[in-house]
């Protein structure tokens, strides 16, 4: 337990570090102005307790990244959209609210960028300031005389990891960025603070170098979860390193012809001109090392842990709860890296399935809307895409069919719903809810007579222009079965996972395919993920059920399979948006209109009409974010992101 004195110290440090950003927001200057905490260095590092509190301050920005509103991998992935216009467009709160979701409607700009991590203005998190704090800790770690060497070594490693990850976050968003390895001195000249962007390969090398330094001095696991839960381990560092190197090897950064023209003011090229296959080999080696480290740390697939009163639970729903629980049952053995803050938007992801939820206007908003295209990403129950399955009625997927005995645990018996909801893989029923879908939980834990979604004329019907789902599909994965919405809503809290074990397995399979093409080893790692979802292996599924049985046998075909497998397995976890960017596939995903059902029609035939919700606006320039015009003006050494 933290002592009251230490807790007061942490609060003091966090407040002290938060104030300068607010005071400087109206007079933003360069990335690294005179450090704002010079006057407090002596007190901040007076002893081990104060220094540890300062370290916790370095973590502060990381915890803020758990807020999905601030995560482009979540808000601009096309997996979930947010309705517009609403009667009150501020219901997602301050510091951006739903702005990140609305980027897909063409609202991004360079005058006042949305998700502006370059200077943190109006974001509530300033990554450059966070990097500066890490540098300050490393520079002053020798000041406290009572700090044991083992803590000093570990705390430096934690600061290096955090500094690396903050650079990586910015690198994914902006491409070439400055490398801030040292804080500028108090008497820095104007030219010293006018930093320059470095090439993306230099940035990646810097991040990987820091992660290597950090990993060797971090513990492989957290031994005292009560005191240290959420702190960085070497297993986390190695997992992140594998993702960083895979990102560098991917088409967005590896010989991308669309960004070759981006150069620094002095003519220095900021993107590599040619593709380097060797980058995939480095990513492959790093992914294998990360998997080995995870195994040593006893990472395994999640085992369902039931809490609360269970009336009746059969194998079908148990499987769905296991798939979902891997995400919403925090700190389980599958979650390699989990951030402390809890997910706070369950009422946006949940449908109304009870009279209480419908009667209480503040209980459920349901605004997180899953497009039809995202729902159709999930496989059939034969483990192949719905447009490839030779036994599945793809052309008739929008016609109506009544719930039957075969789908008793997934779809309300005798309830009319879209035919496309039948004969789907278990992850579909675990992750997505729809009109007619059964809903285990929300006060009813009897799988013989579950709550269900009636989106046509029941509890889930849109009661007004504020509390509604725009497509008719909900992100069920984000709502634990223990949560209850109604007059006395009780939301089962869970912390946000950043890396799960299956993500590492699929990343390794991706690297194997890019280096060696289709191999038995690559198939085996994909099949480990599919087996948990109750599916046959890749080769057998395509041979037996696909119209394109040879697809897994080619490098391009297996690449497509792996990409889809990652998007399914990691759906709604804030990962798909980053993956689609690095693959340069997000533009393809957002080419067509976002579609949903005609949700305001109260008849079955009227509801089941596909409508265009909006046409996304996404072009080449949207792969990277613009630097605010003001920052370009105040620092003439910066180059604006290409196409902005």
């Amino acid at each position: 337990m933290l002592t009251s004195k230490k807790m007061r110290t942490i609060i003091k440090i966090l407040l002290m570090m938060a104030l300068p950003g607010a005071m400087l927001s109206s007079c933003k200057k360069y990335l690294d102005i005179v450090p704002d905490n010079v006057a407090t260095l002596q007190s901040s590092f007076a002893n081990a307790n104060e220094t540890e509190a300062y370290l916790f301050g370095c973590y502060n920005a990381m915890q803020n990244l758990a807020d999905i509103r601030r995560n482009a991998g979540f808000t601009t992935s096309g997996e979930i959209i947010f309705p517009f216009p609403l009667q009150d467009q501020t219901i997602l709160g301050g510091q951006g609210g739903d702005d990140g979701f609305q980027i897909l409607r063409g609202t991004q700009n360079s005058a006042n960028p949305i998700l502006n991590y370059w200077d943190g203005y109006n974001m509530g998190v300033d990554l450059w300031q966070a990097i500066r704090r890490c540098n300050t800790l490393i520079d002053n770690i020798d000041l406290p005389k009572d700090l044991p060497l083992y803590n000093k070594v570990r705390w430096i490693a934690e600061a290096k990891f955090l500094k690396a990850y903050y650079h990586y976050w910015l690198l994914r968003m902006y491409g070439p960025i400055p490398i801030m390895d040292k804080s500028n001195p108090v008497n820095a000249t104007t030219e010293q603070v006018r930093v320059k962007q470095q090439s993306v390969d230099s940035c990646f090398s810097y991040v990987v170098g820091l992660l290597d330094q950090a990993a060797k001095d971090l513990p492989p696991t957290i031994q005292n979860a009560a005191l240290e839960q959420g702190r960085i381990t070497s297993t986390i560092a190695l997992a992140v390193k594998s993702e960083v190197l895979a990102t560098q090897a991917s088409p967005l950064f590896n010989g991308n012809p669309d960004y070759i023209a981006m150069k620094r003011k002095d003519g220095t090229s900021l993107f590599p001109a040619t593709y380097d296959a060797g980058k995939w080999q480095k990513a492959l080696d790093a992914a294998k090392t990360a998997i080995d480290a995870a195994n040593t740390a006893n990472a395994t697939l999640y085992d369902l842990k039931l809490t609360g009163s269970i009336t009746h639970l059969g194998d079908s729903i148990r499987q769905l709860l296991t798939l979902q629980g891997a995400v919403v049952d925090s700190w389980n053995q599958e979650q390699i890296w989990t951030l402390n803050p809890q997910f706070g938007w369950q009422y946006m992801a949940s449908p109304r399935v009870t009279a209480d939820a419908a009667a209480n206007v503040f209980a459920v908003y349901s605004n997180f809307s899953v497009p039809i295209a995202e729902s159709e990403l999930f496989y059939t129950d034969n483990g192949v895409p719905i447009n490839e399955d030779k036994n599945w009625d793809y052309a008739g997927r929008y016609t109506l069919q009544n719930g039957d005995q075969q789908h008793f645990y997934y779809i309300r018996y005798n309830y009319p719903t879209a035919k496309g909801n039948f004969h789907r893989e278990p992850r579909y029923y675990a992750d997505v809810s729809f009109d007619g879908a059964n809903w285990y939980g929300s006060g009813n834990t009897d799988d013989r007579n579950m709550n269900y979604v009636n989106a046509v004329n029941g509890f889930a019907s849109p009661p007004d222009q504020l509390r509604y789902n725009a497509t008719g599909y909900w992100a069920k994965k984000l709502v634990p079965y223990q949560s209850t919405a109604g007059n006395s809503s009780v939301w089962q809290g869970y912390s946000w996972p950043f890396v799960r074990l299956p993500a590492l397995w699929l990343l390794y399979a991706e690297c194997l395919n890019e280096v060696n093409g289709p191999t038995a080893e690559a198939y085996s790692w994909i099949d480990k993920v599919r087996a948990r979802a109750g599916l046959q292996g890749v080769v057998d599924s395509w041979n037996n059920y696909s119209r394109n049985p040879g697809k897994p046998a080619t490098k391009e075909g297996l690449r497509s399979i792996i990409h889809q497998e990652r998007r399914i397995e990691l759906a709604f976890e804030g990962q798909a948006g980053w993956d689609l960017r690095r693959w340069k596939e997000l533009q393809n995903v957002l080419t067509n209109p976002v579609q949903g059902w005609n949700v305001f029609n109260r008849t079955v035939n009227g509801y089941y009409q596909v409508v265009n919700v909006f046409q996304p606006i996404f072009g080449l320039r949207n792969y990277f974010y613009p630097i605010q015009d003001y920052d370009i003006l105040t620092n003439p050494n910066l180059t604006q992101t290409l196409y902005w």
Side-chain angles (χ1 to χ4, degrees), residues 310-607:
I310 303 296
T311 304
H312 189 271
L313 180 65
D315 291 342
S316 294
I317 299 300
R318 180 179 292 274
Q319 181 185 37
L320 303 191
L321 296 185
T322 301
L323 291 166
Q324 185 192 43
V327 174
V328 301
D329 189 353
S330 296
W331 312 102
N332 66 68
Q333 67 272 27
E334 182 174 317
Q335 295 180 4
I336 293 173
W337 184 18
T338 306
L339 297 187
N340 292 83
Q342 294 194 342
F343 181 74
W345 306 107
Q346 292 187 43
Y347 69 98
M348 287 291 177
S350 177
R352 284 173 286 275
V353 295
T354 65
D356 277 358
N360 184 348
V361 297
F362 300 109
V364 178
Y365 280 75
S366 293
N367 294 139
F368 283 180
S369 310
V370 177
I372 286 180
E374 176 67 18
S375 76
E376 294 183 343
L377 183 71
F378 291 81
Y379 296 139
T380 70
D381 53 8
N382 290 323
V384 297
I386 63 174
N387 62 339
E388 290 187 33
D389 193 324
K390 58 189 178 183
N391 300 320
W392 201 81
D393 185 9
Y394 181 76
R397 67 194 185 280
Y398 298 151
T399 60
L400 294 180
Q401 178 175 325
N402 287 346
D404 55 23
Q405 194 63 41
Q406 183 179 355
H407 294 82
F408 178 82
Y409 292 103
Y410 306 135
I411 298 171
R412 183 74 172 180
Y413 185 73
N414 213 32
Y415 187 96
T417 188
K419 191 174 183 180
N421 294 324
F422 292 80
H423 296 289
R424 302 296 293 276
E425 62 156 308
R427 286 178 297 189
Y428 179 67
Y429 301 115
D431 292 8
V432 180
S433 196
F434 48 85
D435 178 49
N438 285 329
W439 186 277
Y440 187 87
S442 198
N444 181 349
T445 57
D446 187 346
D447 65 353
R448 297 166 299 187
N449 185 28
M450 289 177 274
N451 294 322
Y452 69 99
V453 180
N454 184 338
V456 176
N457 51 33
F459 300 139
S461 299
D464 53 44
Q465 292 292 323
L466 180 61
R467 300 177 297 134
Y468 75 95
N469 182 292
T471 62
Y473 291 90
W474 289 260
K476 178 183 179 183
K477 185 180 194 176
L478 303 180
V479 187
Y481 76 91
Q482 300 96 327
S483 291
T484 302
N487 291 327
S488 300
S489 296
V490 178
W491 300 107
Q492 174 75 16
Y494 63 93
S495 296
W496 193 248
F498 256 29
V499 179
R500 291 194 294 118
L501 186 60
L504 266 185
W505 291 350
L506 292 174
L507 190 70
Y508 185 51
E510 179 183 351
C511 295
L512 281 168
N513 184 56
E514 295 299 334
V515 173
N516 302 318
T519 62
E521 185 180 11
Y523 298 144
S524 69
W525 291 99
I526 307 169
D527 292 350
K528 285 165 69 74
V529 178
R530 292 169 61 88
R532 200 255 296 268
L535 302 177
Q536 295 180 20
V538 169
V539 174
D540 287 343
S541 292
W542 260 262
N543 277 340
N544 295 331
Y545 303 109
S546 174
R547 294 187 179 91
N548 184 11
K551 187 175 180 179
T554 69
K555 186 174 185 177
E556 293 73 19
L558 187 58
R559 178 188 294 138
S560 175
I561 290 171
I562 293 170
H563 287 190
Q564 185 161 353
E565 195 73 47
R566 275 185 68 88
R567 291 179 64 193
I568 293 172
E569 177 64 28
L570 305 177
F572 314 135
E573 295 181 41
Q575 183 62 47
W578 297 117
D579 278 344
L580 288 167
R581 285 177 188 274
R582 69 180 176 89
W583 297 330
K584 286 186 67 179
E585 294 178 5
L586 188 53
Q587 192 172 1
N588 298 335
V589 169
L590 299 173
T591 295
N592 297 316
V594 169
Q595 295 183 319
W597 300 118
N598 189 14
V599 297
F600 287 102
N601 193 294
R602 300 297 194 270
T603 65
V604 174
N605 290 331
Y607 180 92

Side-chain angles (χ1 to χ4, degrees), residues 126-182:
D126 185 336
L127 294 186
W128 295 115
Q129 185 184 63
I131 290 169
R132 184 164 64 250
R133 290 170 185 161
C134 294
N135 285 333
T136 300
L137 182 135
I138 293 170
D139 291 342
N140 294 277
I141 195 72
D142 291 325
L143 291 180
K145 302 304 180 184
D146 62 338
L147 180 59
L149 178 60
Y150 66 89
N151 272 345
K152 180 187 299 186
V153 170
R154 180 184 177 186
W155 296 357
I156 291 173
E158 288 178 272
K160 286 182 176 179
F161 173 89
L162 294 170
K163 185 165 65 165
Y165 195 81
Y166 297 149
H167 276 91
Y168 173 53
W169 190 277
L170 291 162
L171 176 56
R172 288 190 298 182
M173 291 192 70
Y174 297 97
I177 59 171
I179 294 175
M180 305 304 295
D181 191 49
K182 298 288 183 182

